[in-house]
């Protein structure tokens, strides 16, 4: 019986995988570097892309840190 194309794929496994976290950290650092040191050479489209990527990856990394703190806390 065919259960679907993504039957074995869990979105949360993708979100918390080490590869996704590393890629987000690299993208965050690259965009921060671009905006701090190369901002005068970037055009409007490049700045918009860098800021958008910085915000999205910042929210993602903040969410991962939140999960790590909450998961590691002791329930009483």
């Amino acid at each position: 019986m065919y259960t679907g194309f993504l039957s074995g794929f869990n979105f949360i496994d993708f979100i918390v995988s080490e590869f996704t976290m590393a890629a987000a950290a690299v993208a965050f650092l690259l965009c921060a570097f671009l905006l701090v040191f190369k901002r005068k050479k970037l055009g409007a489209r490049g700045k918009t892309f860098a800021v958008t990527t910085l915000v999205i990856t910042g929210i993602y990394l903040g969410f991962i840190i939140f999960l790590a703190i909450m998961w590691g806390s002791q329930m009483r």
Side-chain angles (χ1 to χ4, degrees), residues 3-4 6-8 10 15 18 23 26 28 31 33-34 41 45 52-54 57 60-61 65-66 70-71 74-76:
T3 59
L6 297 175
S7 62
N10 290 328
I15 293 293
E18 292 89 3
V26 168
F28 183 83
C31 288
F33 174 80
L34 285 173
K41 292 183 181 180
R45 187 174 288 171
T52 304
T53 304
L54 190 74
T57 56
Y60 168 74
L61 292 172
I65 291 170
F66 170 76
M70 294 306 290
W71 193 311
Q74 296 290 330
M75 304 256 320
R76 294 180 188 213

Side-chain angles (χ1 to χ4, degrees), residues 36-74:
V36 170
F37 295 110
K38 303 287 184 178
R39 68 182 173 269
K40 294 189 181 196
K41 292 183 181 180
L42 286 175
R45 187 174 288 171
K47 286 180 185 175
T48 303
F49 179 75
V51 168
T52 304
T53 304
L54 190 74
V55 168
I56 290 172
T57 56
I59 290 170
Y60 168 74
L61 292 172
F63 173 70
I64 293 298
I65 291 170
F66 170 76
L67 285 180
I69 291 171
M70 294 306 290
W71 193 311
S73 68
Q74 296 290 330

